[in-house]
Structures are given as C-alpha cells and as structure tokens.
Amino acid sequence: MTAETVVGRVAAARHRITVRGVVQGVGFRPFVARLAHELGLVGFCGNDEVSVFVEVEGAPAALAEFARRLRADAPPLAVVVDVTVAPAAPRGDDEFRIVDSLHRPGARTLVPPDVGICTDCARELADPADRRYRHPFVNCTNCGPRYTVITDLPYDRPSTTMARFPMCARCAREYADPGNRRYHAQPICCPDCGPRIFAEADGRRIGGDDAVLERVQREITDGGIVAVKGIGGFHLVCDATDPGAVSRLRARKQRPAKPFAVMAADLGAARTICEIDAAETDALTSPARPIVLLRSRSGSGVATGIAPGLDELGVLLPYAPLHHLLFAPVPGSAVRPPRLLVMTSGNLGGEPLCFDNDEARERLAGIADVFLLHDRDIAVPCEDSVLTVVDGTAAPIRRSRGYAPLPVLLDRPGPTVLAVGAEVKNTFCLTRQDFAFCSAHLGDMGSLESRLAFDRSVSRLSALQDVRPDLVVADDHPGYSTRSWAEDFGERTDTELITVQHHHAHVAALAAEHRLVGTPLLGIAFDGTGYGCDRTVWGGEFLTIGEELLDARRAGHLQPFALPGGDVAVRNPARVALALLRAAGIDTATDLPCVRALPANERGLVTAQLDTGLGCVRTTSVGRLFDGVASILGVRHRVSYEAQAAVELEALARTAAAPAELPMPVADGEIRLAELMGGLVDGVRAGTAPAELAFGFHCALAAATAALATDIADRAGVGVVGLTGGVFQNRLLTALVRVRLEDAGLRVLTHHVVPPNDGGLSLGQAALGLATLARRARTDPISEVPR
Ligand SMILES: [Zn+2]
Ligand SMILES: [Zn+2]
C-alpha cells in the first residue's frame, strides 16, 4: 500500500479489461459505467462483436473491486464467458465515458439463448390495465425467445422470425426509447402487432385468444391431450393429476415408461409435489428455466404413471407467457385452470421434436386431440434442458434451451473443428477461435427425420458462425450414422475426417470443460456402450491422459463378460443377468427370479449363444452390469427405455437403511465380477431386502472403482481423477466414488457444463480434433496450414 502512495493521494493505475460473452442488449455498458462512477474510476468502455472492452484508471484497491464486481454483479441476462485484465499506462482521463461500438471484420456476435419470462412481463400479462394483458407473446430486453427466432446475424429484428410482424407505432416508440425496458428488444410486440394464437380441433379452427385458451383448458380438464407450440417446439400436454390422461398419452406416444416432465403453475404448486431446496429453487427459477430432477413427495396427487418406479420427478416452471396463460383462469369462463401439467416433447418416441405447424399437424395427428398453434415461426428447434442439483451445483443431463448455443470456452484459440457427436442423445460441436459451440439436444440419430434435423442444424450453425470446418471428427464406431454423415460431408466438402475412441472423447470433454487440457489425469468413463479399440463393447474404462490430450492409455477396466445377442440384451436385462451368472458359474439356478424371468425357449437360446459364443460380443459395460444386477435383484427384467433398470436400481438403493456387505475385488487392472455375483445370489437366496443389496452393490462398485483408480493414479503419478459417462448421472454412485477418491487425496472432476452422457461427447471430440491439429502444427511445421 505504502509503495503505491505518493504525498497527498493514491497513485493511479490503469487496467485494460476485455469481457467476452453475451454482453450486448443486456445493459452491460451502462452497468460498467455505473460501477466505474461508484468506485470513482475514470476511463471508457465500448462494444465490439463479442466483447465489451473497458479501460479504467484509479486507485489499485478500487480497480481490484471493479474487476471483482464486473463478474459478480453483472446484469441478470449477461453471460460472462471470460474476463481478461492487462495493465496499461495511466492517461489521466477526467471522467468515465461509453464510447462508440467497434466493428471488426469477420467477427461474429454470440447468439444469446432463449430466456424465460421475467417478473415484469409476467406482471403485465396479469394486469387488466396493461396493454399487453394476456398477450401470449409479451417479452422485453430481459426475457423472451432469442436463439429459436434468430435466422441470421447480427441479431436484429429483420434477422428473426418476427420480421413478418411490423411493429405498431407504440411498440416502435418503446423499441427506440433508451429509457424503456423494451429498448432494442428484437421480438417486441403487442396484441396490435404481434403473432396470434389459434386452436385446431376436429378439423375446425378456433380464433380469439380467450376462446382458444378456454377450449384448451376444457380439453385438459376432460382428460384430453393438447399439442402446444411453445418457444423451441411442440409439447404434448395433459393434466398431470389425471391417471387416465397420462396413460392415454403414453399409449399414443408409444412411450410405455420413460418419465414425463411436469410443469407446475408456480413454485408453490411445485412444492406440493416435490421437496425443493434453495439451490434447486435457484435452478428452477433461473432464466434458462430447465427441467430439474427433484425428490417427489408421496401422495402428492400426481399420477403415478408419470415416473413409474422412480423417486424423482422432472419439474419445470412456466417459461413462456403462453404457459402462464394455460394456468390462469380465462375471464368469464367456468373452467378451472390446471395446476400441474405433463409437458413432454412433441414427438413420437425416437423421432425429433416437431417445431413447425404443418409438421405437427401431420406427425402428432394420432396423439393430440387439440392443437394450440401460433403464427410465429421457430427458426431452430430447441428442447427443454434437464439438470439435477448435486451438492448445491447444477449437473446437466441435457443441455439445450436456455443454454445452447452459448459457447464453452476453450483454453486457447484454434482452427475450426466440427465434431458430429454420438448416435444417441446427439449434439454436435463447432469450434471458432477459442469458443466451442455445442448444439441443442438433437436426440437419437436412428430415424431419417433425425438425420435431416442434424443436417439442417449443422448448416445453420456454420452459417451463423460464418465458418467452414478445417477438420471433421466422428466416433470410431463404424455403424454410427453420424460417422457416415461425417464421411459424406468430408467427401462433399473436401474436409479431412478423423475418428476418435468413444471414452477418450468422454474424458476429453471433461478436461475441456474444466480447461484442464494439458494436465495429466485419470478419466473413469462408465457408460452403456462405446466402440472399443479392440472392437469389443467398452463402457467401464480407466483411461490415463498425458500432457497431450491425444495420449490416452487404457489402464484398467471392468472384467469383460459376454453379451448374448448384443442389442437384444440391452432391452432384456434378464439375459445380461444370465450371462453374468454363467461367467460366475451359477447359471443353472432356476430358483432365481432373473433366471425364471426368461421363458424356457429364450433361456435355451441365450445359453446356446453363451456356449458357442455365436452372436455374443465381449463387453466391459458398467451400464450392462447395472442392468444385470437389477434383474438379479428382481427390480426389472425387461426395459422400455435406455437405463430404465439402472435408474430404478438407484431409486431402490436410496430407500435402504444400510448397505448389504458385498465383495468386489480388483486384480490385474480389472474390477472382478464373480465374487459380486456370488454375493448377490447368496443375498437373494437368504432373503436379504433387495434395497439393501442394491445399496450394497453401489457401495461395492464405488469401493472397487476407487481402489483401482487410486492404484492407477499412484502409479501414473496423477492427482486428478475425472468421472464421466452416462453411468455417472447416478448421483448415489458418484457421491460414493467421490468421497473415497477425495479421502485418498485426489482431486475429483465431474461435469457441470455439458452432460456426462453422450450429449457431452461432441465437446470432447472437438477437443481431440483441435489437439490433433495442434500436434501436427508442432511436429510438422512445414505442412500446409489449414485453411
Ligand atoms: Zn420481460
Ligand atoms: Zn405493438
């Protein structure tokens, strides 16, 4: 302090600060100016395409405070991606000013994500004296659709799907008034100039906002199913307290058991069905308004068919004005509005989300009784995001609306890489400089519609970012349609293609989101499936990564076992159970429920497959281990959605008071299975409660995982262990593994930005692509620099 003090005043220092992220149209520059004034600092700030640049001068302590609050107190909608501070020579300005925007050729603005309705707009929506009373499209600078209405950059009204709705004089005045909450709110509109809602039922069109809403509410009350066009696409909606409606929806959507999300009218309604702590409340009410997985309350009145066999419920709050109107009484109507609605994606199982009126009319015709439509186009579909809160921090399960297309910041700028992701829960990733843009959730690539949606999304994001890939990255799996798309794209555009191993990409995704590329670490990738380097199915992998992200070594894994019938076994955990028991020498035990669950002919077939090895693949999949254990414990023998047996097993384990003691030794870099199978079978025969065995299995697997990991970490000399892959969505297992690793003095990484499941894979593939190009540039400096 004294060193900086001259006689009579504190010496001034000057900082040049760059703030990158979504910092335009969110009141960031006025905020910077206010903060500078408050702290007695002079200088200036301005915008360029992706950043706010600031120069501030004043007392060092005030500068430090300024840098801290720049991040901590940023306006609610600003998304600060990073802040860099560099010293500069003091210039002795006499005030703080906002200066003109800079335009740099080739720079692209960041596309903001969609934002849930703000409290001001919600108040106007409910205020009969306001001119936007009950207007289904009310929005302002602080809220509303963004990503889903943008057709081009820069983000201006003509480059949105609002272009066809010319502003009325009053809206135009608000739009142009810097003192108004709607100053430069691109989707601004009102009942005079905005889009309209309408309904269609029995081939008849219904107009008039209140008539439409009354018809829809009556349909819901009567147990019907309504297709509702929202912000990022269609939802299928019914009364969440009506078991008949829920089972009708399941039958028509061909989705027998996979849980549905519930939209609650407000936080109070959400609390009647779930336990919600402070961090979960923050997540539910955050501008992204994701679906949050919450502990369900028993006897809450929600139909049990919504999440059969589970102790959690995916809950979200209204995020579009139209959602609020669904829950509000229609003036003059006798219909009582709902409090809890099923809100599930508007598609048929396995198909992509519908987001266009005609498409919905066609594809949802057999599902919805009534359509609630509007005439604002959705430029790009975007499903609801899903997250869970672990130890007070959000852990994403599906990163989509509200987050996409915000970039993940990479540790250094690089060429442009397009990573095409996995086959299920697909996202792709496109890099530009040090930004990695991960797409919204695209889902399973099994259908033609999905692949067309993928193609459209890639073209759109490339156009928005104005880039062409230097390299395309796909999974090693020869059967992935994303890989064949990448091969075709590579040929069409003369772009080089590389493929990477599935679990290597999972670990790379974790390293990338933590900006730890370059730090040696041990990645534990547990999931259902992944093409292994030895052409077997991997999924229980311990990979050590060197200072080079590309240098990965398989240092351990689950003991391999035979999977009879490959994909058929995935749908039939009882077959997996039989394979596991057989490997442990206990396969003929017909007293066991999992063996009896297979009819004699099926048992014969599976046994023959296991005997001859015909139709069997070797696997180290922890996902399949969960399936097999679930069947052995009688939890589930057949599944109708991915990971059903595993999530039910976890739910059961959480009900146990204490874990059963089960052995699961580690030897020669393998987690062994025979002892575990013996222990489980003994427990079942002894009548031990399935919940205790389920909990015991989680504990045994966690102990074995931690034992093998600490051994590998010791030998490799690494202090960081990452947990990735879909199995680590299991919060019980993750917590058990984490505590053991931390007790051993290791730093544990889990996912907070992209999901641990295949939805996060594309980020890791992109990181591996960039590492490939970087290594080439280093070792082969004469080679041609990528375009
Ligand atoms: Zn608003
Ligand atoms: Zn207007």
Side-chain angles (χ1 to χ4, degrees):
M1 199 61 173
T2 47
E4 288 159 352
T5 307
V6 295
V7 179
R9 66 183 185 94
V10 176
R14 191 175 181 93
H15 282 169
R16 184 172 295 141
I17 302 174
T18 309
V19 185
R20 289 196 303 165
V22 178
V23 287
Q24 288 180 38
V26 293
F28 205 85
R29 286 173 306 160
F31 153 71
V32 171
R34 271 196 311 276
L35 187 59
H37 284 139
E38 194 182 315
L39 295 169
L41 297 170
V42 295
F44 61 84
C45 74
N47 265 343
D48 62 22
E49 278 80 358
V50 290
S51 62
V52 165
F53 52 86
V54 188
E55 288 201 15
V56 275
E57 186 169 325
L63 289 178
E65 178 68 0
F66 181 83
R68 189 189 67 77
R69 287 178 57 186
L70 204 54
R71 224 182 229 284
D73 299 350
L77 284 199
V79 180
V80 175
V81 174
D82 75 335
V83 178
T84 56
V85 181
R91 293 194 343 199
D93 315 62
D94 46 17
E95 57 169 3
F96 192 93
R97 292 176 302 125
I98 295 178
V99 299
D100 291 343
S101 298
L102 282 183
H103 292 286
R104 292 176 306 175
R108 301 294 278 182
T109 323
L110 294 186
V111 178
D114 300 303
V115 184
I117 183 171
C118 71
T119 47
D120 289 329
C121 285
R123 196 181 322 111
E124 289 177 356
L125 188 68
D127 176 4
D130 193 275
R131 74 188 189 92
R132 291 189 178 85
Y133 174 55
R134 292 181 64 75
H135 177 51
F137 300 92
V138 59
N139 69 80
C140 71
T141 315
N142 300 321
C143 74
R146 301 284 190 274
Y147 175 51
T148 53
V149 296
I150 295 174
T151 53
D152 197 6
L153 286 178
Y155 174 43
D156 261 323
R157 180 118 164 166
S159 309
T160 71
T161 60
M162 288 297 292
R164 54 186 276 218
F165 302 99
M167 278 180 244
C168 66
R170 284 197 285 181
C171 283
R173 261 198 310 278
E174 292 171 337
Y175 180 84
D177 172 8
N180 192 285
R181 198 173 93 239
R182 296 194 164 87
Y183 177 56
H184 282 192
Q186 305 305 342
I188 185 177
C189 61
C190 73
D192 295 335
C193 63
R196 315 290 328 182
I197 58 168
F198 54 97
E200 287 176 5
D202 315 318
R204 227 162 41 83
R205 180 175 164 133
I206 301 153
D209 290 8
D210 285 351
V212 168
L213 289 160
E214 184 184 28
R215 176 70 183 84
V216 165
Q217 286 185 345
R218 185 153 19 90
E219 189 66 35
I220 290 169
T221 310
D222 293 348
I225 293 158
V226 183
V228 177
K229 186 180 185 182
I231 299 288
F234 277 81
H235 281 113
L236 290 163
V237 177
C238 72
D239 184 347
T241 62
D242 181 341
V246 172
S247 65
R248 259 191 303 283
L249 176 55
R250 286 213 175 278
R252 292 188 197 168
K253 197 175 148 140
Q254 294 166 33
R255 180 159 148 167
K258 193 176 177 186
F260 288 142
V262 173
M263 183 179 275
D266 50 37
L267 209 49
R271 286 189 204 286
T272 63
I273 56 172
C274 288
E275 314 267 351
I276 311 174
D277 68 20
E280 288 161 344
T281 304
D282 288 349
L284 271 176
T285 57
S286 73
R289 296 284 207 287
I291 295 170
V292 183
L293 298 187
L294 302 167
R295 291 167 307 283
S296 35
R297 281 182 199 275
S298 53
S300 65
V302 169
T304 49
I306 286 178
L310 305 182
D311 58 345
E312 290 185 321
L313 211 52
V315 177
L316 78 168
L317 294 177
Y319 57 84
L322 184 57
H323 299 152
H324 278 286
L325 294 174
L326 287 177
F327 290 109
V330 175
S333 162
V335 182
R336 240 177 72 173
R339 296 283 288 161
L340 300 162
L341 289 173
V342 167
M343 276 269 167
T344 185
S345 310
N347 59 356
L348 201 62
E351 289 185 358
L353 183 68
C354 288
F355 65 101
D356 165 273
N357 289 353
D358 283 339
E359 191 191 19
R361 283 178 185 116
E362 189 181 320
R363 284 173 50 206
L364 304 181
I367 308 179
D369 300 300
V370 174
F371 287 80
L372 173 46
L373 304 168
H374 59 71
D375 56 2
R376 180 173 73 199
D377 289 339
I378 295 170
V380 64
C382 199
E383 297 214 41
D384 296 324
S385 292
V386 183
L387 60 82
T388 167
V389 175
V390 184
D391 298 330
T393 316
I397 291 174
R398 183 161 80 195
R399 182 184 184 273
S400 211
R401 182 187 48 75
Y403 302 94
L406 282 179
V408 177
L409 191 65
L410 301 169
D411 50 3
R412 71 174 77 103
T416 291
V417 169
L418 171 64
V420 299
E423 192 70 356
V424 295
K425 299 187 171 60
N426 179 271
T427 64
F428 65 87
C429 178
L430 183 70
T431 70
R432 181 180 214 276
Q433 296 161 358
D434 55 349
F435 292 130
F437 297 94
C438 298
S439 74
H441 170 86
L442 289 162
D444 294 3
M445 288 293 114
S447 69
L448 177 63
E449 283 84 359
S450 306
R451 293 195 287 277
L452 292 174
F454 179 89
D455 202 58
R456 262 198 316 265
S457 299
V458 171
S459 314
R460 200 187 114 89
L461 189 61
S462 310
L464 272 181
Q465 292 304 327
D466 195 24
V467 287
R468 277 199 50 196
D470 300 304
L471 182 72
V472 187
V473 188
D475 192 275
D476 276 341
H477 200 303
Y480 275 10
S481 56
T482 43
R483 173 165 169 182
S484 56
W485 184 94
E487 283 166 355
D488 179 57
F489 177 87
E491 267 175 36
R492 252 189 302 131
T493 60
D494 196 22
T495 311
E496 187 192 351
L497 167 73
I498 63 164
T499 66
V500 296
Q501 201 276 322
H502 189 90
H503 302 98
H504 191 188
H506 270 303
V507 178
L510 193 55
E513 76 158 74
H514 285 274
R515 302 186 72 188
L516 284 177
V517 171
T519 303
L521 59 86
L522 166 62
I524 305 177
F526 283 179
D527 68 358
T529 176
Y531 193 72
C533 296
D534 58 2
R535 299 177 177 212
T536 67
V537 177
W538 288 12
E541 311 310 313
F542 292 68
L543 303 180
T544 53
I545 308 286
E547 275 173 31
E548 280 244 30
L549 189 62
L550 296 175
D551 296 338
R553 206 173 63 83
R554 190 190 197 200
H557 52 80
L558 188 72
Q559 182 183 354
F561 60 97
L563 196 61
D567 283 349
V568 182
V570 174
R571 292 190 296 276
N572 295 284
R575 293 190 180 198
V576 183
L578 200 63
L580 286 165
L581 293 178
R582 187 176 187 80
I586 26 184
D587 63 315
T588 51
T590 46
D591 61 315
L592 295 171
C594 61
V595 178
R596 280 206 311 272
L598 294 170
N601 58 342
E602 190 178 357
R603 202 187 309 155
L605 171 77
V606 175
T607 310
Q609 283 178 320
L610 290 166
D611 279 344
T612 58
L614 279 177
C616 290
V617 285
R618 311 261 308 154
T619 187
T620 54
S621 165
V622 176
R624 295 295 81 75
L625 174 63
F626 267 87
D627 287 349
V629 171
S631 176
I632 291 169
L633 298 187
V635 173
R636 177 154 298 280
H637 304 299
R638 319 266 184 197
V639 298
S640 70
Y641 64 90
E642 199 205 353
Q644 181 178 10
V647 293
E648 289 177 2
L649 190 65
E650 182 192 358
L652 178 67
R654 277 199 290 256
T655 65
E661 199 72 44
L662 292 168
M664 203 170 184
V666 168
D668 305 325
E670 282 186 3
I671 296 177
R672 292 297 166 91
L673 292 172
E675 292 83 349
L676 175 75
M677 293 306 135
L680 287 168
V681 167
D682 289 349
V684 170
R685 285 183 173 145
T688 310
E692 282 172 28
L693 291 168
F695 189 15
F697 162 64
H698 279 77
C699 294
L701 179 59
T705 302
L708 182 51
T710 42
D711 182 46
I712 294 168
D714 272 355
R715 269 192 273 177
V718 302
V720 183
V721 179
L723 309 182
T724 186
V727 169
F728 284 110
Q729 278 169 215
N730 182 318
R731 288 190 283 121
L732 177 60
L733 181 71
T734 305
L736 292 168
V737 172
R738 175 192 287 278
V739 72
R740 283 166 175 78
L741 293 174
E742 286 176 349
D743 283 350
L746 293 159
R747 178 179 171 202
V748 179
L749 307 178
T750 53
H751 286 278
H752 297 294
V753 179
V754 297
N757 60 46
D758 282 3
L761 203 72
S762 60
L763 176 64
Q765 293 174 336
L768 289 170
L770 288 169
T772 302
L773 293 177
R775 173 185 274 179
R776 227 178 258 172
R778 257 197 325 277
T779 57
D780 190 11
I782 301 168
S783 77
E784 208 182 331
V785 175
R787 284 181 310 272

